[in-house]
Amino acid sequence: MPSADVVDLIMADHREVERLFQLLKEQPATRGLNFPVLCALLIAHSRAEEAEVYPVAKDEAGETDEVAHSQGEHAEAEQMLERMAAMDPDSTEFGAALDELVHAVSHHVEEEESRVLPGIRQRLSESRRAELAEAFMAARTEHLGDRPGQATRDDLRQQASNAGLSGTSSSSKDEIKADLLAHAQQSGE
C-alpha cells in the first residue's frame, strides 16, 4: 500500500470543509449540528499544519512568505469561529458571519493550494511527504477536540514563529494572540 502524502491529506480536508460549508449554507436547520463539526475539523487541521507542516514548508521547501501569510489567515479564521460559536446558529447574524468565514477560508484554501502545497510537493521527496503525512495526522488527531480560541501558549508560540514574529518567548498567551491578530490584519491589507 502506498504511503500517504501530506499534500493529498491537506487537500482532502479542504474538500471536507467545502462540503460542510455547503451543508451549513444550504441546510440552515443543520447548523447546530454541523457547525461544531466544522470547528473541530478546521481547528485540528490548522493546528496540525501549524505544528508539523508550516515549519517544514518554511525551512525545507523555502515557503517562508507564504507560510507567514497562511498563518495570519489561520488566526483570522479562528477569531471568526470563536465569534460565531457565541452566536445563535439560526440568527441572520450567524448567516452573515458564515458568509464571511466561507469567503476567508475559501481564499486561504485557494492560496495554499496554488502557492504553498505545490512547493511542498516539488521540493520535498515522496518519503519526506509521507513522514509529514504521519506527523500531520497525529497532530490533527491530538487537536481534534480543541475549540476556537483555546490554543495553548505553545500553540500560539508556534503560530508566531510560523508568521515570522520574534520575541514571544516571554510574552503571555494574550499578548501572543494579540500580536498574531495584528500581524494577520497587516498581512491582509
Side-chain angles (χ1 to χ4, degrees):
M1 188 167 114
S3 299
D5 185 312
V6 70
V7 173
D8 295 335
L9 293 176
I10 290 170
M11 290 176 66
D13 274 0
H14 290 170
R15 300 298 80 79
E16 180 60 14
V17 166
E18 290 166 352
R19 187 189 73 78
L20 288 166
F21 279 157
Q22 187 175 4
L23 273 174
L24 289 164
K25 288 175 78 72
E26 293 177 0
Q27 298 176 24
T30 70
R31 288 177 179 169
L33 178 65
N34 286 316
F35 182 68
V37 174
L38 174 72
C39 284
L41 176 58
L42 278 175
I43 295 300
H45 174 90
S46 294
R47 296 274 191 280
E49 279 186 333
E50 293 159 2
E52 301 298 336
V53 179
Y54 284 178
V56 172
K58 231 170 89 168
D59 297 341
E60 296 176 33
E63 300 294 336
T64 304
D65 292 340
E66 290 80 3
V67 165
H69 181 73
S70 290
Q71 184 61 70
E73 291 175 337
H74 279 201
E76 288 178 329
E78 184 161 351
Q79 183 182 43
M80 288 180 210
L81 289 172
E82 191 175 359
R83 225 177 45 241
M84 291 174 71
M87 295 177 188
D88 176 357
D90 296 324
S91 69
T92 55
E93 178 186 35
F94 185 93
L98 178 62
D99 289 341
E100 183 183 338
L101 178 69
V102 168
H103 176 76
V105 171
S106 296
H107 169 79
H108 169 74
V109 164
E110 180 185 328
E111 284 189 344
E112 193 171 79
E113 289 185 1
S114 67
R115 296 181 185 170
V116 179
L117 298 181
I120 290 173
R121 198 177 302 269
Q122 292 166 2
R123 294 183 193 100
L124 299 181
S125 68
E126 186 176 328
S127 63
R128 184 65 173 121
R129 292 193 317 270
E131 287 172 16
L132 266 182
E134 286 184 32
F136 173 79
M137 289 305 292
R140 187 178 173 278
T141 300
E142 176 187 333
H143 290 285
L144 208 45
D146 292 3
R147 296 204 179 284
Q150 295 182 337
T152 67
R153 186 169 176 272
D154 286 343
D155 291 335
L156 292 169
R157 286 177 59 208
Q158 180 64 61
Q159 292 174 19
S161 173
N162 293 341
L165 300 176
S166 59
T168 61
S169 60
S170 63
S171 299
S172 72
K173 212 174 127 170
D174 289 339
E175 290 169 333
I176 299 169
K177 189 175 179 180
D179 289 347
L180 282 165
L181 289 173
H183 170 76
Q185 291 168 345
Q186 288 173 350
S187 69
E189 293 175 352

